[in-house]
Amino acid sequence: MQFKDEVVLITGSTRGIGLAVAQAFAEQGACVIIIGRDGPQAQAIAAQIRAKGHLADGFGCDVTSLANVQETVNKILDIHKRIDILVNNAGITRDNLLLRLDENDWDEVIRVNLKGVFNVTKVVTKVMLKAKKGKVISIASVIGITGNIGQSNYAASKAGIIAFSKSVAREFAYRNITVNVIAPGYIRTDMTAKISEAVQAKVLEHIPLSRFGEVADVAGVCLFLASPAANYITGQTIVVDGGLTI
Ligand code: NDP
Protein backbone atom coordinates (compact mmCIF):
# COMPACT_ATOMS: atom_id res chain seq x y z
CA MET A 1 0.00 0.00 0.00
CA GLN A 2 2.64 2.47 -1.15
CA PHE A 3 0.22 5.39 -1.70
CA LYS A 4 -2.19 4.92 1.22
CA ASP A 5 -3.99 8.19 2.16
CA GLU A 6 -2.65 10.01 -0.93
CA VAL A 7 -4.94 11.66 -3.48
CA VAL A 8 -3.91 11.22 -7.12
CA LEU A 9 -5.55 13.22 -9.92
CA ILE A 10 -5.19 11.61 -13.36
CA THR A 11 -6.49 13.48 -16.40
CA GLY A 12 -7.91 11.44 -19.27
CA SER A 13 -8.38 8.42 -17.02
CA THR A 14 -11.66 7.09 -18.40
CA ARG A 15 -9.77 4.66 -20.66
CA GLY A 16 -6.35 3.63 -22.02
CA ILE A 17 -3.12 4.60 -20.26
CA GLY A 18 -4.84 6.99 -17.83
CA LEU A 19 -7.23 4.30 -16.60
CA ALA A 20 -4.35 1.82 -16.12
CA VAL A 21 -2.43 4.45 -14.15
CA ALA A 22 -5.51 5.11 -11.98
CA GLN A 23 -6.02 1.39 -11.33
CA ALA A 24 -2.35 0.93 -10.41
CA PHE A 25 -2.45 3.81 -7.88
CA ALA A 26 -5.78 2.57 -6.48
CA GLU A 27 -4.31 -0.90 -5.92
CA GLN A 28 -1.55 0.81 -3.91
CA GLY A 29 -4.08 2.43 -1.56
CA ALA A 30 -4.42 5.88 -3.17
CA CYS A 31 -7.70 7.69 -3.65
CA VAL A 32 -7.77 8.20 -7.43
CA ILE A 33 -9.58 11.07 -9.12
CA ILE A 34 -10.86 10.06 -12.56
CA ILE A 35 -11.13 12.90 -15.08
CA GLY A 36 -12.60 12.91 -18.59
CA ARG A 37 -14.84 15.27 -20.53
CA ASP A 38 -17.81 12.98 -19.95
CA GLY A 39 -18.78 13.39 -16.26
CA PRO A 40 -21.16 10.42 -15.93
CA GLN A 41 -18.55 8.19 -17.60
CA ALA A 42 -15.84 9.41 -15.19
CA GLN A 43 -18.20 8.68 -12.28
CA ALA A 44 -19.01 5.22 -13.65
CA ILE A 45 -15.29 4.36 -13.96
CA ALA A 46 -14.71 5.58 -10.39
CA ALA A 47 -17.63 3.39 -9.21
CA GLN A 48 -16.04 0.36 -10.93
CA ILE A 49 -12.77 1.00 -9.07
CA ARG A 50 -14.63 1.41 -5.76
CA ALA A 51 -16.46 -1.88 -6.44
CA LYS A 52 -13.05 -3.59 -6.30
CA GLY A 53 -12.60 -2.23 -2.76
CA HIS A 54 -10.47 0.79 -3.66
CA LEU A 55 -10.92 4.56 -3.27
CA ALA A 56 -11.97 6.62 -6.30
CA ASP A 57 -14.05 9.59 -7.38
CA GLY A 58 -14.93 10.85 -10.86
CA PHE A 59 -15.43 14.33 -12.37
CA GLY A 60 -16.26 15.69 -15.80
CA CYS A 61 -13.69 18.29 -16.81
CA ASP A 62 -12.35 19.62 -20.09
CA VAL A 63 -8.66 20.30 -19.55
CA THR A 64 -8.65 22.96 -22.28
CA SER A 65 -10.68 25.30 -20.04
CA LEU A 66 -8.76 26.91 -17.18
CA ALA A 67 -12.07 27.93 -15.55
CA ASN A 68 -13.41 24.38 -15.75
CA VAL A 69 -10.16 22.99 -14.31
CA GLN A 70 -10.26 25.49 -11.41
CA GLU A 71 -13.91 24.69 -10.68
CA THR A 72 -13.20 20.93 -10.74
CA VAL A 73 -10.14 21.20 -8.49
CA ASN A 74 -12.20 23.28 -6.02
CA LYS A 75 -14.80 20.51 -5.91
CA ILE A 76 -12.10 17.85 -5.43
CA LEU A 77 -10.55 19.84 -2.56
CA ASP A 78 -13.95 20.34 -0.89
CA ILE A 79 -14.43 16.58 -0.78
CA HIS A 80 -10.93 15.09 -0.60
CA LYS A 81 -9.00 18.00 0.99
CA ARG A 82 -5.68 17.40 -0.83
CA ILE A 83 -3.99 16.47 -4.10
CA ASP A 84 -0.60 14.82 -3.65
CA ILE A 85 0.15 13.56 -7.13
CA LEU A 86 -0.91 14.87 -10.56
CA VAL A 87 -0.68 12.79 -13.73
CA ASN A 88 -1.26 14.88 -16.86
CA ASN A 89 -2.33 12.19 -19.29
CA ALA A 90 -5.24 13.56 -21.40
CA GLY A 91 -4.18 13.77 -25.02
CA ILE A 92 -5.44 13.47 -28.57
CA THR A 93 -4.11 13.05 -32.11
CA ARG A 94 -5.31 14.73 -35.31
CA ASP A 95 -2.72 13.41 -37.75
CA ASN A 96 -2.04 14.76 -41.23
CA LEU A 97 0.86 15.80 -43.41
CA LEU A 98 1.70 19.46 -42.88
CA LEU A 99 0.50 20.48 -46.34
CA ARG A 100 -2.92 18.98 -45.58
CA LEU A 101 -3.02 19.80 -41.86
CA ASP A 102 -6.07 21.85 -41.04
CA GLU A 103 -5.56 24.90 -38.79
CA ASN A 104 -8.28 23.61 -36.44
CA ASP A 105 -6.46 20.28 -36.06
CA TRP A 106 -3.26 22.15 -35.18
CA ASP A 107 -5.10 24.30 -32.62
CA GLU A 108 -7.08 21.45 -31.06
CA VAL A 109 -4.03 19.23 -30.48
CA ILE A 110 -2.06 22.10 -28.94
CA ARG A 111 -5.08 23.09 -26.83
CA VAL A 112 -5.70 19.63 -25.37
CA ASN A 113 -2.15 18.26 -25.15
CA LEU A 114 -0.16 21.37 -24.20
CA LYS A 115 -2.52 24.04 -22.90
CA GLY A 116 -4.32 21.28 -20.97
CA VAL A 117 -1.06 20.44 -19.18
CA PHE A 118 -0.49 24.15 -18.46
CA ASN A 119 -4.03 24.59 -17.08
CA VAL A 120 -4.07 21.58 -14.77
CA THR A 121 -0.46 21.98 -13.59
CA LYS A 122 -1.00 25.69 -12.84
CA VAL A 123 -4.07 25.01 -10.70
CA VAL A 124 -2.88 21.83 -8.94
CA THR A 125 0.63 23.07 -8.12
CA LYS A 126 -0.96 25.91 -6.11
CA VAL A 127 -2.28 23.19 -3.79
CA MET A 128 1.11 21.45 -3.74
CA LEU A 129 2.95 24.70 -3.00
CA LYS A 130 0.89 25.13 0.15
CA ALA A 131 1.55 21.51 1.13
CA LYS A 132 5.28 22.02 0.39
CA LYS A 133 5.39 18.73 -1.50
CA GLY A 134 4.04 17.12 -4.62
CA LYS A 135 4.73 15.03 -7.69
CA VAL A 136 3.75 16.08 -11.20
CA ILE A 137 4.08 13.52 -13.98
CA SER A 138 3.08 14.31 -17.56
CA ILE A 139 2.65 11.83 -20.38
CA ALA A 140 4.37 13.11 -23.51
CA SER A 141 5.51 10.76 -26.32
CA VAL A 142 8.67 9.66 -28.09
CA ILE A 143 7.22 11.58 -31.04
CA GLY A 144 7.97 14.76 -29.04
CA ILE A 145 11.65 13.76 -29.16
CA THR A 146 12.01 12.25 -32.64
CA GLY A 147 9.20 13.94 -34.59
CA ASN A 148 7.11 11.88 -37.04
CA ILE A 149 5.70 12.22 -40.52
CA GLY A 150 2.06 13.33 -40.30
CA GLN A 151 2.31 14.32 -36.63
CA SER A 152 3.83 17.83 -36.61
CA ASN A 153 1.03 19.13 -34.36
CA TYR A 154 1.26 16.18 -31.95
CA ALA A 155 5.10 16.26 -31.92
CA ALA A 156 5.10 20.00 -31.17
CA SER A 157 2.61 19.55 -28.33
CA LYS A 158 4.62 16.72 -26.75
CA ALA A 159 7.98 18.49 -27.15
CA GLY A 160 6.27 21.46 -25.50
CA ILE A 161 5.34 19.31 -22.50
CA ILE A 162 8.99 18.25 -22.08
CA ALA A 163 10.30 21.85 -22.15
CA PHE A 164 7.42 23.10 -19.96
CA SER A 165 8.18 20.41 -17.37
CA LYS A 166 11.89 21.26 -17.22
CA SER A 167 10.99 24.91 -16.53
CA VAL A 168 8.37 24.12 -13.90
CA ALA A 169 10.74 21.59 -12.28
CA ARG A 170 13.22 24.45 -11.79
CA GLU A 171 10.50 26.82 -10.51
CA PHE A 172 9.11 24.43 -7.88
CA ALA A 173 12.18 22.48 -6.74
CA TYR A 174 12.54 24.76 -3.70
CA ARG A 175 9.13 23.56 -2.51
CA ASN A 176 9.91 19.85 -2.80
CA ILE A 177 7.71 19.41 -5.88
CA THR A 178 9.17 17.20 -8.60
CA VAL A 179 8.05 17.50 -12.21
CA ASN A 180 8.84 14.69 -14.64
CA VAL A 181 7.72 13.34 -17.98
CA ILE A 182 7.12 9.86 -19.39
CA ALA A 183 7.58 9.51 -23.13
CA PRO A 184 5.93 6.29 -24.24
CA GLY A 185 6.50 4.68 -27.62
CA TYR A 186 3.68 2.65 -29.17
CA ILE A 187 1.32 1.48 -26.43
CA ARG A 188 -1.72 -0.65 -27.25
CA THR A 189 -4.80 1.58 -26.63
CA ASP A 190 -7.78 3.02 -28.56
CA MET A 191 -5.41 5.75 -29.82
CA THR A 192 -3.01 3.32 -31.53
CA ALA A 193 -5.81 0.98 -32.67
CA LYS A 194 -6.51 3.66 -35.31
CA ILE A 195 -3.08 3.06 -36.94
CA SER A 196 -3.25 0.80 -40.02
CA GLU A 197 -1.99 -2.79 -39.71
CA ALA A 198 0.66 -2.12 -42.38
CA VAL A 199 2.11 0.81 -40.40
CA GLN A 200 1.91 -1.18 -37.14
CA ALA A 201 3.88 -4.05 -38.72
CA LYS A 202 6.54 -1.60 -39.91
CA VAL A 203 6.88 0.00 -36.48
CA LEU A 204 7.17 -3.42 -34.83
CA GLU A 205 10.24 -4.19 -36.97
CA HIS A 206 12.02 -1.28 -35.24
CA ILE A 207 11.17 -2.23 -31.64
CA PRO A 208 14.11 -4.21 -30.15
CA LEU A 209 11.85 -5.79 -27.50
CA SER A 210 9.66 -7.07 -30.39
CA ARG A 211 6.29 -6.05 -28.98
CA PHE A 212 4.08 -3.02 -28.57
CA GLY A 213 3.92 -1.62 -25.06
CA GLU A 214 1.02 -2.36 -22.73
CA VAL A 215 -0.69 0.27 -20.56
CA ALA A 216 0.81 -1.42 -17.49
CA ASP A 217 4.32 -0.67 -18.82
CA VAL A 218 3.56 3.06 -18.51
CA ALA A 219 1.64 2.74 -15.22
CA GLY A 220 4.62 1.05 -13.55
CA VAL A 221 6.94 3.95 -14.39
CA CYS A 222 4.32 6.40 -13.14
CA LEU A 223 4.19 4.65 -9.77
CA PHE A 224 8.00 4.77 -9.61
CA LEU A 225 8.16 8.52 -10.39
CA ALA A 226 5.48 9.21 -7.76
CA SER A 227 7.22 7.09 -5.13
CA PRO A 228 9.89 8.13 -2.59
CA ALA A 229 12.40 6.10 -4.67
CA ALA A 230 12.25 8.96 -7.22
CA ASN A 231 12.53 11.84 -4.72
CA TYR A 232 15.83 13.05 -6.25
CA ILE A 233 14.62 12.95 -9.87
CA THR A 234 13.17 16.11 -11.39
CA GLY A 235 12.91 17.71 -14.83
CA GLN A 236 13.56 14.36 -16.50
CA THR A 237 11.93 12.48 -19.35
CA ILE A 238 11.80 8.69 -19.08
CA VAL A 239 11.36 6.94 -22.42
CA VAL A 240 9.19 3.80 -22.29
CA ASP A 241 9.37 2.44 -25.83
CA GLY A 242 10.84 -1.07 -25.88
CA GLY A 243 14.03 0.40 -27.35
CA LEU A 244 12.35 1.99 -30.41
CA THR A 245 14.39 5.20 -30.17
CA ILE A 246 17.76 3.72 -29.10
P1 NDP B 1 -7.00 7.38 -25.30
O1 NDP B 1 -7.49 8.05 -26.54
O2 NDP B 1 -7.24 5.93 -25.11
O3 NDP B 1 -7.55 8.17 -24.02
C1 NDP B 1 -7.47 9.56 -23.92
C2 NDP B 1 -8.11 10.05 -22.64
O4 NDP B 1 -8.05 11.49 -22.62
C3 NDP B 1 -9.56 9.68 -22.52
O5 NDP B 1 -9.84 9.37 -21.17
C4 NDP B 1 -10.28 10.97 -22.92
O6 NDP B 1 -11.57 11.02 -22.33
C5 NDP B 1 -9.34 12.03 -22.35
N1 NDP B 1 -9.47 13.35 -22.95
C6 NDP B 1 -9.34 13.70 -24.25
N2 NDP B 1 -9.53 15.01 -24.41
C7 NDP B 1 -9.76 15.53 -23.16
C8 NDP B 1 -10.03 16.84 -22.66
N3 NDP B 1 -10.09 17.91 -23.47
N4 NDP B 1 -10.22 16.99 -21.33
C9 NDP B 1 -10.17 15.93 -20.49
N5 NDP B 1 -9.91 14.67 -20.91
C10 NDP B 1 -9.72 14.47 -22.23
O7 NDP B 1 -5.43 7.72 -25.24
P2 NDP B 1 -4.18 6.86 -24.71
O8 NDP B 1 -4.52 6.18 -23.45
O9 NDP B 1 -3.63 6.08 -25.83
O10 NDP B 1 -3.12 8.04 -24.45
C11 NDP B 1 -3.02 8.68 -23.20
C12 NDP B 1 -1.86 9.66 -23.28
O11 NDP B 1 -0.66 8.98 -23.63
C13 NDP B 1 -2.04 10.76 -24.32
O12 NDP B 1 -1.52 11.97 -23.85
C14 NDP B 1 -1.22 10.25 -25.49
O13 NDP B 1 -0.78 11.30 -26.32
C15 NDP B 1 -0.08 9.58 -24.76
N6 NDP B 1 0.63 8.58 -25.54
C16 NDP B 1 -0.02 7.48 -26.01
C17 NDP B 1 0.69 6.54 -26.74
C18 NDP B 1 0.05 5.31 -27.25
O14 NDP B 1 0.75 4.57 -27.96
N7 NDP B 1 -1.20 5.01 -26.95
C19 NDP B 1 2.10 6.73 -27.07
C20 NDP B 1 2.67 7.92 -26.54
C21 NDP B 1 1.95 8.80 -25.80
P3 NDP B 1 -12.82 11.79 -23.01
O15 NDP B 1 -12.69 11.59 -24.49
O16 NDP B 1 -14.02 11.16 -22.41
O17 NDP B 1 -12.67 13.21 -22.59
Side-chain angles (χ1 to χ4, degrees), residues 176-202:
N176 202 23
I177 298 169
T178 63
V179 184
N180 290 294
V181 175
I182 298 174
Y186 284 73
I187 308 296
R188 292 196 314 134
T189 67
D190 290 351
M191 186 180 269
T192 41
K194 289 186 269 182
I195 299 169
S196 75
E197 278 190 17
V199 172
Q200 287 197 29
K202 242 185 165 175

Side-chain angles (χ1 to χ4, degrees), residues 12-18 35-38 41 61-64 89-92 112 139-141 154 158 184-187 189-192:
S13 41
T14 53
R15 58 176 187 270
I17 292 171
I35 301 278
R37 281 167 301 184
D38 182 341
Q41 197 198 358
C61 175
D62 184 340
V63 297
T64 64
N89 165 81
I92 60 165
V112 176
I139 311 297
S141 166
Y154 185 74
K158 297 300 190 179
Y186 284 73
I187 308 296
T189 67
D190 290 351
M191 186 180 269
T192 41

